[in-house]
C-alpha cells in the first residue's frame, strides 16, 4: 500500500497575515546516523542548513515533491519507513512572488515526524501542515532580498456603490535625483493589494544600470515610499505628496510593510471591473 505525507506550507508575512509558500521543494529524510554527524545543525529543528550539511544528508533522501500555488503538497513515502521517524526539510529557491532568483537556494530543517497514518482509498496518509513563524520568515526573506508592500484602500465615506476592487496602486521611492518606481498592483474585492520588489528597484542612481549603490543585503536601508491610485481610465484619484517618502512613517520602511490608503469616493468612482 502506498504512503503519503500531505499538507500545506505557509508563512507569516506579517504576524496576522499568512502567505502560501509556493514552489517550495519538500524533502523527506530517513534518520540514519551517518546523515547527522555529532554537532551537526541538521538534527536541530527549524535551522538553515549549510551546503555541507545538505550534502551529508543526500543519500538518506526517501521522498520529495513541490508545493503548488496554494502551498499544498503530497510526497510519497516508501512503505518500509511506515513505522520510522522521518525528518522534514523545505528547500526554497526564492521567496513567494519574488521576481529575482539570483540568490542561492535555502534549505531548512523543520522537524522530525513520527507519523500516525490514516487509511484513505488511495493509501495511508499523514497530514502535516506547517507555517513559518514571522521572525524566522523575515530572516529568510532578508537572505533572498525580498521586499513586500501589502496594503488596503478604503473610502472615506460610505457611498451607495462602495466598490473597492479594480484600482491600480503605484508605489514610488522618493530619491534625490529621480524617484524610483517600486511596482504596481490591482486591488481585490476587499481593497487589498500587494507589491513585491527587491533592493535593486530602489538602489538605482543616475548612472544605472552601469552603477548601482552596492550595499550588503542585510544592511540595506528601506525605501521612502509614497503612493498613487488610478481608476479604470488611468485617472489619478489619489496622489500623495512625494514628501511623504521623507516622513517618519514612510522613510526606510521594513521589508514587510503594511499601509492603509484613504480615498475620497467622489474622486474614486470608476474602478476597473474585475
Amino acid at each position: 500500500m502506498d504512503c503519503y505525507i500531505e499538507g500545506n506550507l505557509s508563512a507569516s508575512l506579517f504576524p496576522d497575515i499568512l502567505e502560501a509558500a509556493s514552489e517550495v521543494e519538500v524533502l523527506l529524510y530517513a534518520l540514519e546516523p551517518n546523515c547527522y554527524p555529532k554537532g551537526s545543525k541538521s538534527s536541530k529543528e527549524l535551522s538553515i542548513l549549510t551546503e555541507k550539511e545538505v550534502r551529508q544528508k543526500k543519500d538518506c533522501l526517501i521522498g520529495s515533491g513541490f508545493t503548488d500555488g496554494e502551498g499544498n503538497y503530497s510526497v510519497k513515502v516508501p512503505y518500509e519507513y511506515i513505522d520510522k521517524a522521518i525528518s522534514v526539510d523545505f528547500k526554497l529557491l526564492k521567496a513567494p512572488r519574488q521576481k529575482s532568483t539570483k540568490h542561492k537556494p535555502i534549505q531548512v530543517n523543520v522537524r522530525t515526524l513520527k507519523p500516525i497514518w490514516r487509511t484513505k482509498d488511495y493509501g495511508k496518509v499523514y497530514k502535516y501542515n506547517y507555517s513559518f513563524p514571522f521572525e524566522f520568515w523575515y530572516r529568510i526573506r532578508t537572505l533572498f532580498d525580498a521586499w513586500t508592500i501589502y496594503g488596503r484602500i478604503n473610502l472615506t465615506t460610505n457611498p451607495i456603490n462602495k466598490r473597492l476592487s479594480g484600482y491600480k496602486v503605484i508605489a514610488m521611492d522618493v530619491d534625490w535625483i529621480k524617484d524610483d518606481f517600486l511596482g504596481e498592483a490591482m486591488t481585490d474585492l476587499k481593497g487589498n493589494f500587494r507589491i513585491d520588489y527587491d533592493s535593486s528597484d530602489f538602489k538605482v542612481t543616475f548612472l544605472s544600470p552601469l552603477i548601482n549603490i552596492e550595499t550588503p543585503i542585510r544592511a540595506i536601508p528601506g525605501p521612502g515610499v509614497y503612493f498613487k491610485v488610478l481608476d479604470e481610465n488611468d485617472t489619478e484619484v489619489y496622489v500623495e505628496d512625494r514628501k511623504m517618502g521623507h516622513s517618519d512613517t514612510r522613510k526606510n520602511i521594513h521589508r514587510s510593510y503594511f499601509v492603509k490608503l484613504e480615498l475620497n469616493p467622489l474622486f474614486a468612482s470608476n474602478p476597473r471591473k474585475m
Side-chain angles (χ1 to χ4, degrees), residues 7-45:
N8 180 269
L9 180 62
S10 61
S12 294
L13 182 62
F14 297 92
D16 58 346
I17 297 177
L18 295 179
E19 66 174 340
S22 58
E23 301 179 46
V24 175
E25 188 172 10
V26 183
L27 302 163
L28 305 180
Y29 293 91
L31 290 177
E32 304 295 342
N34 60 302
C35 298
Y36 303 93
K38 189 175 181 180
S40 170
K41 290 189 301 183
S42 297
S43 61
K44 299 178 181 179
E45 295 184 356

XYZ file of all heavy atoms in Angstrom, residues 7-45:
292
model
N 0.066 17.935 3.017
C -0.223 19.072 3.866
C -0.157 20.384 3.128
O -0.214 20.433 1.900
N -0.034 21.444 3.898
C 0.025 22.797 3.355
C 1.165 23.545 4.033
O 1.352 23.444 5.243
C -1.295 23.529 3.579
C -1.272 24.937 3.033
O -0.926 25.888 3.738
N -1.634 25.092 1.774
N 1.889 24.320 3.229
C 3.005 25.117 3.743
C 2.695 26.594 3.548
O 2.383 27.031 2.435
C 4.298 24.752 3.023
C 5.555 25.510 3.454
C 5.883 25.244 4.907
C 6.741 25.137 2.561
N 2.770 27.349 4.621
C 2.529 28.794 4.559
C 3.587 29.505 5.396
O 4.467 28.876 5.984
C 1.121 29.138 5.069
O 0.982 28.746 6.429
N 3.490 30.825 5.448
C 4.448 31.619 6.220
C 3.784 32.907 6.664
O 2.866 33.416 6.009
C 5.690 31.924 5.379
N 4.254 33.445 7.772
C 3.707 34.692 8.306
C 4.403 35.886 7.654
O 5.521 36.256 8.043
C 3.883 34.747 9.828
O 3.103 33.763 10.461
N 3.740 36.457 6.654
C 4.263 37.665 6.024
C 4.229 38.827 7.012
O 5.132 39.665 7.062
C 3.440 37.989 4.778
C 3.870 39.184 3.953
C 5.275 38.975 3.407
C 2.887 39.431 2.813
N 3.155 38.879 7.799
C 3.002 39.764 8.945
C 2.493 38.890 10.088
O 2.015 37.775 9.831
C 2.013 40.900 8.653
C 2.457 41.812 7.543
C 2.073 41.563 6.239
C 3.250 42.908 7.804
C 2.489 42.388 5.203
C 3.673 43.741 6.780
C 3.292 43.483 5.482
N 2.569 39.340 11.323
C 2.099 38.482 12.423
C 0.672 37.982 12.254
O 0.327 36.916 12.751
C 2.241 39.407 13.647
C 3.389 40.299 13.297
C 3.250 40.554 11.815
N -0.179 38.728 11.534
C -1.566 38.308 11.367
C -1.957 38.079 9.903
O -3.143 37.972 9.583
C -2.513 39.342 11.988
C -2.336 40.733 11.394
O -1.311 40.948 10.693
O -3.204 41.593 11.609
N -0.978 37.999 9.004
C -1.260 37.768 7.578
C -0.359 36.646 7.077
O 0.865 36.749 7.123
C -1.025 39.036 6.738
C -1.978 40.147 7.172
C -1.210 38.733 5.246
C -1.771 41.464 6.429
N -0.988 35.570 6.594
C -0.247 34.441 6.058
C -0.158 34.523 4.541
O -1.049 35.063 3.883
C -0.922 33.118 6.443
C -0.963 32.739 7.918
C -1.694 31.412 8.085
C 0.437 32.646 8.503
N 0.918 33.965 3.987
C 1.032 33.797 2.551
C 1.364 32.340 2.250
O 2.027 31.657 3.049
C 2.097 34.716 1.964
C 3.523 34.424 2.393
C 4.525 35.294 1.645
O 4.187 35.829 0.583
O 5.673 35.429 2.138
N 0.876 31.853 1.117
C 1.176 30.487 0.703
C 2.635 30.400 0.287
O 3.148 31.270 -0.420
C 0.268 30.079 -0.452
N 3.321 29.358 0.733
C 4.713 29.128 0.338
C 4.702 28.219 -0.893
O 4.724 26.999 -0.773
C 5.495 28.498 1.483
N 4.632 28.825 -2.061
C 4.512 28.079 -3.308
C 5.880 27.762 -3.899
O 6.871 28.422 -3.591
C 3.691 28.881 -4.322
O 4.292 30.146 -4.556
N 5.918 26.737 -4.753
C 7.132 26.324 -5.462
C 8.285 26.010 -4.510
O 9.451 26.280 -4.798
C 7.559 27.396 -6.474
C 6.495 27.706 -7.513
C 6.946 28.783 -8.476
O 8.084 28.712 -8.962
O 6.153 29.713 -8.725
N 7.961 25.443 -3.371
C 8.966 25.025 -2.392
C 9.127 23.513 -2.489
O 8.145 22.778 -2.567
C 8.545 25.424 -0.960
C 9.530 24.885 0.069
C 8.418 26.942 -0.847
N 10.368 23.040 -2.485
C 10.606 21.599 -2.538
C 10.500 21.012 -1.135
O 11.125 21.505 -0.193
C 11.975 21.292 -3.135
C 12.189 19.806 -3.401
C 13.451 19.493 -4.169
O 14.281 20.417 -4.350
O 13.624 18.333 -4.584
N 9.693 19.962 -1.011
C 9.525 19.246 0.249
C 10.416 18.010 0.203
O 10.305 17.187 -0.710
C 8.057 18.835 0.459
C 7.891 18.156 1.823
C 7.136 20.044 0.351
N 11.309 17.870 1.186
C 12.299 16.790 1.202
C 12.129 15.954 2.468
O 12.134 16.501 3.585
C 13.711 17.360 1.141
C 14.015 18.253 -0.076
C 15.268 19.081 0.158
C 14.180 17.403 -1.318
N 11.992 14.641 2.307
C 11.840 13.729 3.436
C 13.092 12.867 3.558
O 13.556 12.291 2.568
C 10.610 12.837 3.234
C 9.278 13.561 2.975
C 8.156 12.543 2.806
C 8.956 14.540 4.097
N 13.621 12.773 4.778
C 14.858 12.037 5.013
C 14.665 10.963 6.080
O 13.926 11.160 7.062
C 15.963 12.985 5.488
C 16.422 13.981 4.455
C 15.829 15.241 4.364
C 17.463 13.677 3.584
C 16.257 16.171 3.421
C 17.909 14.602 2.642
C 17.296 15.839 2.563
O 17.723 16.758 1.629
N 15.359 9.849 5.880
C 15.445 8.824 6.918
C 16.406 9.305 8.000
O 17.366 10.034 7.714
C 15.932 7.505 6.322
N 16.166 8.902 9.221
C 17.021 9.332 10.335
C 18.158 8.337 10.534
O 18.246 7.643 11.555
C 16.190 9.479 11.611
C 15.215 10.658 11.626
C 14.399 10.664 12.904
C 15.973 11.971 11.490
N 19.038 8.268 9.558
C 20.202 7.392 9.654
C 21.350 8.140 10.342
O 21.564 9.335 10.094
C 20.645 6.946 8.257
C 19.537 6.247 7.450
C 19.112 4.937 8.071
O 19.859 4.396 8.908
O 18.018 4.433 7.729
N 22.118 7.450 11.196
C 23.199 8.112 11.949
C 24.223 8.816 11.070
O 24.739 9.875 11.440
C 23.836 6.955 12.732
C 22.752 5.946 12.852
C 21.958 6.040 11.571
N 24.518 8.237 9.911
C 25.541 8.841 9.054
C 25.096 10.164 8.445
O 25.911 10.933 7.939
C 25.935 7.873 7.938
C 24.757 7.504 7.052
O 23.757 6.990 7.551
N 24.872 7.736 5.762
N 23.797 10.444 8.476
C 23.278 11.702 7.914
C 23.383 12.848 8.902
O 23.287 14.019 8.509
C 21.818 11.539 7.511
S 21.551 10.308 6.233
N 23.546 12.532 10.173
C 23.539 13.557 11.207
C 24.742 13.376 12.125
O 24.620 12.890 13.250
C 22.242 13.491 12.018
C 21.019 13.632 11.159
C 20.367 12.502 10.664
C 20.531 14.888 10.816
C 19.252 12.635 9.853
C 19.412 15.023 10.000
C 18.784 13.888 9.523
O 17.697 14.024 8.721
N 25.929 13.730 11.644
C 27.126 13.600 12.485
C 27.009 14.450 13.736
O 26.267 15.435 13.783
C 28.257 14.096 11.578
C 27.585 14.901 10.523
C 26.237 14.310 10.330
N 27.740 14.059 14.752
C 27.680 14.757 16.042
C 27.999 16.234 15.878
O 28.965 16.600 15.220
C 28.668 14.113 17.014
C 28.534 14.633 18.444
C 29.448 13.876 19.381
C 29.291 14.383 20.798
N 30.193 13.657 21.746
N 27.144 17.085 16.459
C 27.353 18.527 16.375
C 26.720 19.169 15.167
O 26.756 20.389 15.013
N 26.113 18.382 14.294
C 25.501 18.930 13.090
C 24.207 19.657 13.425
O 23.401 19.192 14.231
C 25.207 17.800 12.088
O 24.421 18.276 11.021
N 23.982 20.818 12.774
C 22.731 21.551 12.962
C 21.559 20.838 12.305
O 20.409 21.152 12.571
C 22.854 22.955 12.368
C 23.771 23.886 13.130
C 23.661 25.303 12.600
C 24.010 25.383 11.131
N 23.963 26.772 10.619
N 21.843 19.871 11.418
C 20.791 19.182 10.689
C 19.822 18.460 11.607
O 18.707 18.166 11.228
C 21.402 18.189 9.695
O 22.171 18.858 8.733
N 20.272 18.135 12.805
C 19.406 17.430 13.734
C 18.560 18.380 14.571
O 17.714 17.944 15.346
C 20.249 16.535 14.650
O 21.160 17.324 15.396
N 18.784 19.697 14.420
C 18.029 20.687 15.174
C 16.851 21.187 14.349
O 16.965 21.428 13.153
C 18.944 21.856 15.557
C 20.125 21.456 16.434
C 21.009 22.661 16.730
C 22.207 22.247 17.586
N 23.100 23.405 17.864
N 15.719 21.341 14.990
C 14.526 21.761 14.270
C 14.577 23.250 13.942
O 15.089 24.060 14.705
C 13.282 21.432 15.094
C 13.086 19.933 15.281
C 11.815 19.583 16.021
O 11.116 20.527 16.464
O 11.521 18.395 16.151
